[in-house]
Amino acid sequence: MKSENIFRVIAFGDVIGDPGRKALFSVFRKIRDKFFPDLVVLNGENAAHGFGITQPIVKQLFENGIDVITSGNHIWQKKEIFDFIDKYPGLLRPINYPPHTPGHGCAVIQKGDCKAAVISAMGRTYMDPIDCPFQRVESEIEKLRKEGINIILVDLHAEATSEKQIFGWHFDGKISAVWGTHTHTQTSDERILPRKTAYITDIGMCGSIDSVIGMKTSESYRKVIQHLPVKFSPEEDGSMEVQGVVIDIHKKTGEATLINRIKEKVG
Ligand SMILES: [Fe+2]
Ligand SMILES: [Fe+2]
């Protein structure tokens, strides 16, 4: 049961192509009926055959209970993204791309008597050197606070664990939660930081775990061991899992009260 004072969020990790979306929707109702979330966020950067996202997939996700789609470095991979990225307030690209990049990095969602902001941000260590995520997120928080929004959630799409951890410490007490994505491997370090920000380094992915981060192992073998060119594709077989987190936030204070991992086997 959930108290009336609690705003509950579920965030799902990067959904890997068609197998990931099928896995997600085969257990989504069960997860929703168990937790009764107020807001559901999903990282969609790999939703279209492992790379990028298409408009039919965006529609499918929004029509089936996903409130906000965050993303990361793969968001631009399907060329048609530029035709529709500005059409959907809930479809985000990392906020710290340079000014005038198409799309937007923050969505404010009204749910019942609560307004919550979701920010998609991206790290820079071993990744593209885009604008500083710390400064950019800080200025966005300032803006949101002036609008009276105290539930602020960040998907930090980053490679380096250390960058994610310092992000957590830097924003502890300034946001309700930050969760990591991009490495597609769920970490077991979920916790509430001292100033009541929920934190986890990586929430994982939705797709086959008999794979290399959701992609076919044979292709990784070719690329990493044989050093041959390869076009990666999502693993369609093996054990499927839907991974993410559930986070409880106090509606009045914006402080996190709980963070638990979701790691649901499919089939
Ligand atoms: Fe990803
Ligand atoms: Fe990524």
Side-chain angles (χ1 to χ4, degrees):
M1 279 299 286
K2 180 179 67 166
S3 137
E4 274 184 11
N5 299 323
I6 291 298
F7 187 84
R8 181 166 287 170
V9 180
I10 285 183
F12 291 112
D14 304 34
V15 61
I16 314 297
D18 198 41
R21 280 181 286 120
K22 276 193 188 134
L24 173 71
F25 287 118
S26 69
V27 293
F28 184 60
R29 182 170 286 190
K30 185 177 151 193
I31 292 173
R32 209 175 46 183
D33 291 351
K34 183 176 172 188
F35 294 110
F36 294 102
D38 296 289
L39 184 79
V40 181
V41 183
L42 167 148
N43 191 302
E45 70 149 9
N46 306 106
H49 209 67
F51 300 94
I53 195 163
T54 61
Q55 194 164 10
I57 294 174
V58 169
K59 283 185 183 165
Q60 181 204 25
L61 294 170
F62 285 146
E63 283 166 9
N64 287 281
I66 306 300
D67 297 300
V68 178
I69 303 170
T70 54
S71 65
N73 51 313
H74 289 304
I75 185 64
W76 313 113
Q77 225 128 4
K78 296 279 177 281
K79 272 186 243 139
E80 62 262 40
I81 185 74
F82 298 104
D83 299 333
F84 65 84
I85 193 163
D86 285 306
K87 285 188 193 167
Y88 298 93
L91 172 63
L92 305 180
R93 48 91 171 148
I95 199 164
N96 51 318
Y97 274 102
H100 312 301
T101 301
H104 49 278
C106 178
V108 175
I109 307 285
Q110 177 91 44
K111 286 284 179 144
D113 53 350
C114 268
K115 262 187 189 174
V118 181
I119 298 172
S120 194
M122 195 154 76
R124 299 191 295 183
T125 307
Y126 310 126
M127 299 187 85
D128 283 350
I130 57 174
D131 292 350
C132 175
F134 295 87
Q135 289 175 11
R136 186 62 193 87
V137 170
E138 212 153 74
S139 65
E140 194 67 17
I141 292 171
E142 236 171 79
K143 201 180 101 196
L144 293 165
R145 292 269 182 221
K146 279 182 193 153
E147 290 169 28
I149 295 163
N150 66 347
I151 299 176
I152 302 174
L153 312 159
V154 179
D155 172 345
L156 180 63
H157 198 78
E159 182 76 36
T161 301
S162 52
E163 190 177 20
K164 291 173 174 175
Q165 288 187 346
I166 192 60
F167 193 96
W169 288 117
H170 184 71
F171 287 104
D172 183 20
K174 297 176 188 159
I175 56 177
S176 305
V178 52
W179 60 83
T181 56
H182 178 68
T183 63
H184 299 190
T185 304
Q186 193 178 66
T187 56
S188 60
D189 60 341
E190 75 280 8
R191 63 181 286 203
I192 310 278
L193 296 172
R195 294 175 195 271
K196 310 295 181 199
T197 293
Y199 174 85
I200 181 169
T201 298
D202 203 292
I203 58 174
M205 65 167 192
C206 303
S208 173
I209 57 163
D210 291 321
S211 70
V212 175
I213 63 168
M215 302 295 179
K216 289 192 168 114
T217 306
S218 56
E219 294 165 354
S220 268
Y221 183 90
R222 199 175 148 84
K223 165 100 177 162
V224 179
I225 299 177
Q226 296 181 302
H227 295 275
L228 293 169
V230 67
K231 193 168 178 283
F232 286 109
S233 52
E235 179 55 76
E236 290 156 23
D237 298 320
S239 307
M240 295 285 165
E241 280 191 14
V242 167
Q243 302 172 349
V245 278
V246 55
I247 299 167
D248 280 358
I249 296 155
H250 196 282
K251 284 181 179 174
K252 286 217 171 68
T253 63
E255 293 177 345
T257 58
L258 169 145
I259 175 167
N260 281 338
R261 275 176 284 147
I262 293 171
K263 191 172 159 60
E264 188 78 32
K265 286 198 188 310
V266 175

